[in-house]
């Protein structure tokens, strides 16, 4: 415990969040989702917070309520809502295009009834929305909405709108470079966190094959970008003496931190990205101060920082899966590696390839062990070929992230830019088909839902297994001849 001081901060914070959440005292963490306009027809003024998303019959807008209208006039109101806008059936195509053309920061006047979400089977949709900070949902029928003001008329653009506009512009740039269809959708998800155009069947293939984690921008993606960024700033490592200069060291680390946080903002500040960027920032601050950080302390600090700012992320599936995977990799992977190794006699390039493959398999196994209980609990399924999937997918994902951003930077160069973009499209095509092939294998996935009690039991078993492995390794160190 003394080696990991962040535990002293994280444990009471988590305990405090749980007490506040389940008792509502001394602070109701869900108070931001309380509103006085629920369950009655109201006229609301709301500002669009994200780009509209096309649903099967409607267009969904995430909007922040500013005012509601009563018998006297407009009165202040608050809360974030999902507005499901119904296009005019007489001219559905043109009306849907108008709805999809709404921009972040546009202000609407809508007549709707905001309601809490109900239960969908065992899934409490209303509570899920409240944990995301969403008051409720409302259907807006044709003729019941009006555009009050646009982003352009306000002068100062919404910060989130800037990030989303850049994200969408870069995504469209892929299309302009000739990367279209399923390849563009997958590339947008891997590099930009833009998943709106992903085909449902392709998304399902990634889930069933055990590759869904690469579609969510996370530590894998930020780690690749971080490595490339360091390589560029140090000219392939040739300028490492820059770190010996105090001013140069701080300037380089500051540039890395700003760039990584800019990328996190671009991809939507999801828990997995924030966790990774916080860890990178801690490492870089340590370099600026000539201090070496402890990996587990960095992970715990990232969790503490996120929960301090956004306590309800504790109940987010993304947060739980992200930290379960990273903690498992940090704690289990080194111990699993110590249990076995390459056969004697392997030398040179063969040894390097073998070490890489074993390292990849060990990390994949550790991450799967850490996340499997949660995957069964939340999604009711897990992949049976996750080792094969990660052996094929992770190297391809690394290449795709580098080539994807390389296409954006160099795509305008005649001939060379074209071939870089086509090469990127080819690698993404290979990734998509590898995932679909693994999904098609017999027994590729298991469908099994488990209870929360079973989740706790599985994690208790994982902890017990970790303790046994540690004892075995310590015994081996004390008795090397046995």
């Amino acid at each position: 415990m003394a080696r990991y001081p962040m535990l002293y901060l994280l444990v009471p914070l988590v305990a405090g969040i749980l007490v506040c959440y389940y008792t509502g005292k001394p602070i109701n963490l869900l108070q931001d989702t309380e509103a006085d306009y629920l369950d009655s027809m109201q006229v609301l003024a709301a500002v669009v917070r994200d780009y509209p998303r096309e649903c099967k019959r409607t267009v969904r807008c995430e909007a922040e309520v500013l005012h509601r209208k009563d018998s006297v006039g407009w009165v202040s109101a608050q809360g974030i809502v999902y507005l499901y806008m119904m296009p005019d059936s007489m001219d559905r195509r043109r009306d849907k295009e108008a709805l999809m053309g709404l921009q972040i920061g546009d202000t609407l006047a809508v007549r709707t009834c905001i309601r809490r979400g109900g239960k969908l089977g065992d899934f409490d949709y209303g509570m899920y929305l409240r944990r995301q900070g969403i008051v409720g949902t409302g259907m807006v029928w044709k003729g019941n909405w009006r555009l009050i003001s646009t982003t352009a008329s306000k002068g100062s653009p919404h910060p989130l709108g800037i990030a989303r506009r850049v994200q969408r512009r870069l995504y469209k740039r892929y299309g302009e470079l000739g990367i279209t269809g399923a390849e563009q959708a997958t590339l947008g998800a891997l590099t930009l966190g833009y998943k709106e155009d992903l085909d449902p069947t392709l998304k399902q293939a990634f889930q069933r094959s055990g590759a869904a984690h690469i579609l969510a921008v996370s530590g894998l993606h930020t780690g690749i970008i971080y490595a490339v960024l360091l390589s560029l700033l140090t000219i392939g490592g040739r300028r490492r003496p820059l770190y010996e200069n105090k001013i140069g060291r701080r300037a380089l680390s500051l540039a890395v931190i700003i760039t990584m946080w800019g990328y996190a903002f671009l991809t939507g500040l999801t828990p997995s990205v924030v966790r990774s960027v916080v860890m990178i920032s801690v490492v870089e601050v340590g370099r600026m101060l000539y201090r070496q950080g402890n990996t587990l302390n960095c992970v715990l600090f990232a969790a503490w920082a996120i929960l301090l700012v956004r306590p309800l992320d504790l109940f987010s599936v993304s947060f739980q899966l992200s930290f379960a995977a990273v903690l498992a990799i940090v704690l289990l992977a080194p111990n699993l590696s110590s249990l076995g190794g390459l056969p004697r006699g392997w030398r040179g390039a063969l040894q390097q390839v073998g070490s890489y493959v074993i390292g990849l398999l060990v990390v994949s196994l550790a991450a799967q062990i850490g996340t499997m209980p949660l995957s069964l609990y939340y999604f009711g399924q897990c992949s049976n070929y996750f080792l094969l999937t990660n052996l094929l997918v992770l190297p391809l994902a690394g290449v795709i992230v580098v080539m994807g951003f390389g296409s954006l930077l160099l795509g305008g160069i005649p001939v060379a830019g074209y071939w870089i973009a086509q090469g990127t499209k080819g690698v993404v095509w290979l990734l998509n088909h590898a995932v679909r092939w693994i999904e098609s294998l017999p027994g590729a996935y298991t469908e099994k839902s488990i209870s929360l009690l079973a989740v706790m039991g599985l994690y208790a078993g994982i902890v017990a297994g970790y303790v046994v492995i540690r004892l075995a390794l310590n015994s081996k160190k004390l008795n090397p001849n046995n």
Side-chain angles (χ1 to χ4, degrees):
M1 190 85 168
R3 291 179 57 192
Y4 308 113
M6 285 309 305
L7 277 175
Y8 290 110
L9 296 176
L10 182 60
V11 171
L13 177 61
V14 171
I17 291 172
L18 292 174
V19 169
C20 293
Y21 180 80
Y22 287 108
T23 67
K25 299 176 182 178
I27 299 172
N28 181 8
L29 296 177
L30 296 171
Q31 62 183 347
D32 288 339
T33 62
E34 300 294 342
D36 58 359
Y37 48 80
L38 287 170
D39 300 322
S40 63
M41 191 63 69
Q42 300 275 348
V43 176
L44 306 173
V47 61
V48 179
R49 284 172 46 94
D50 201 354
Y51 281 112
R53 298 189 180 186
E54 185 174 356
C55 302
K56 188 174 182 180
R57 296 174 53 200
T58 62
V59 172
R60 194 192 81 181
C61 284
E62 181 181 323
E64 181 176 358
V65 176
L66 303 177
H67 302 91
R68 66 179 178 84
K69 198 169 188 178
D70 62 10
S71 57
V72 178
W74 292 102
V75 296
S76 179
Q78 62 179 1
I80 300 170
V81 298
Y82 284 157
L83 300 175
Y84 288 88
M85 321 282 282
M86 180 65 74
D88 188 344
S89 58
M90 299 298 292
D91 197 351
R92 185 177 182 83
R93 180 176 180 181
R94 189 178 68 176
D95 204 22
K96 180 169 280 191
E97 288 177 353
L99 290 170
M100 292 298 295
L102 292 173
Q103 300 294 310
I104 297 173
D106 289 351
T107 303
L108 308 176
V110 298
R111 187 173 185 271
T112 185
C113 178
I114 304 296
R115 301 183 186 277
R116 298 278 193 208
K119 285 192 174 183
L120 304 175
D122 294 331
F123 177 60
D124 192 336
Y125 182 60
M127 183 55 68
Y128 167 78
L129 289 178
R130 295 186 73 188
R131 287 173 180 171
Q132 309 305 311
I134 308 297
V135 171
T137 65
M139 180 69 72
V140 181
W141 299 96
K142 62 176 183 177
N144 284 349
W145 71 276
R146 180 167 56 88
L147 183 62
I148 298 177
S149 64
T150 63
T151 306
S153 65
K154 296 180 180 179
S156 57
H158 194 282
L160 178 60
I162 297 174
R164 290 288 283 163
R165 275 194 288 272
V166 172
Q167 184 189 63
R168 179 171 282 196
R169 181 67 191 92
L170 293 176
Y171 178 75
K172 289 183 177 180
R173 178 60 178 158
Y174 285 138
E176 295 169 359
L177 294 172
I179 307 173
T180 57
E183 289 75 32
Q184 182 185 16
T186 301
L187 184 58
L190 260 68
T191 57
L192 305 172
Y194 187 91
K195 294 183 282 189
E196 280 77 355
D197 289 348
L198 275 173
D199 182 75
T201 59
L202 180 60
K203 189 183 297 186
Q204 184 181 69
F206 273 90
Q207 291 173 344
R208 290 179 172 178
S209 64
H213 58 284
I214 71 167
L215 291 179
V217 178
S218 60
L220 169 68
H221 309 74
T222 53
I224 294 169
I225 294 171
Y226 178 53
V228 172
L229 187 61
L230 282 182
S231 180
L232 291 174
L233 291 175
T234 59
I235 314 177
R238 298 177 184 177
R239 298 291 297 175
R240 283 194 63 80
L242 180 67
Y243 275 118
E244 303 302 323
N245 181 285
K246 183 178 291 186
I247 296 177
R249 186 187 188 108
R250 291 178 177 175
L252 191 148
S253 293
L254 189 61
V256 169
I257 292 172
I258 292 173
T259 302
M260 295 308 301
W261 277 105
Y263 178 67
F265 186 68
L266 175 67
T267 56
L269 293 176
T270 59
S272 56
V273 176
V274 172
R275 182 261 307 158
S276 180
V277 175
V278 167
M279 291 177 62
I280 290 172
S281 300
V282 170
V283 170
E284 287 301 320
V285 170
R287 282 182 174 176
M288 293 168 70
L289 301 175
Y290 294 85
R291 299 283 297 274
Q292 183 69 34
N294 178 280
T295 304
L296 185 56
N297 270 328
C298 289
V299 176
L300 297 175
F301 175 78
W304 177 83
I306 293 172
L307 293 178
L308 191 65
V309 177
R310 302 190 306 202
L312 288 176
D313 274 3
L314 179 64
F315 306 96
S316 164
V317 179
S318 175
F319 178 90
Q320 293 173 15
L321 287 174
S322 175
F323 279 94
V326 174
L327 286 173
I329 291 171
V330 171
L331 295 173
L332 294 179
N335 297 295
L336 293 173
S337 297
S338 301
L339 294 177
L342 292 172
R344 294 182 179 179
W346 287 38
R347 294 288 184 272
L350 189 62
Q351 183 181 31
Q352 292 181 358
V353 173
S355 298
Y356 172 78
V357 171
I358 288 180
L360 193 60
L361 293 176
V362 165
V363 169
S364 301
L365 179 60
Q368 184 72 8
I369 291 173
T371 58
M372 183 184 64
L374 290 174
S375 296
L376 291 174
Y377 177 68
Y378 286 115
F379 309 118
Q381 66 178 26
C382 66
S383 170
N384 296 326
Y385 298 133
F386 63 91
L387 289 178
L388 173 62
T389 299
N390 287 314
L391 197 60
L392 296 175
V393 163
L394 291 183
L396 288 176
V399 172
I400 288 170
V401 171
V402 174
M403 292 185 69
F405 283 108
S407 299
L408 293 175
L409 292 173
L410 306 175
I413 301 176
V415 183
Y418 169 80
W419 286 111
I420 292 173
Q422 290 303 304
T424 304
K425 184 177 181 179
V427 179
V428 178
W429 178 90
L430 183 61
L431 171 67
N432 287 342
H433 280 71
V435 167
R436 290 188 185 277
W437 171 69
I438 294 173
E439 183 205 16
S440 68
L441 294 175
Y445 60 94
T446 298
E447 292 185 324
K448 175 68 176 177
S449 296
I450 62 175
S451 65
L452 182 59
L453 185 62
V455 173
M456 297 171 65
L458 285 174
Y459 277 118
I462 292 171
V463 172
Y466 170 75
V467 172
V468 169
I469 293 174
R470 290 294 302 169
L471 291 174
L473 291 175
N474 290 336
S475 175
K476 187 177 181 180
K477 288 180 181 179
L478 294 175
N479 301 288
N481 295 324
N482 293 342

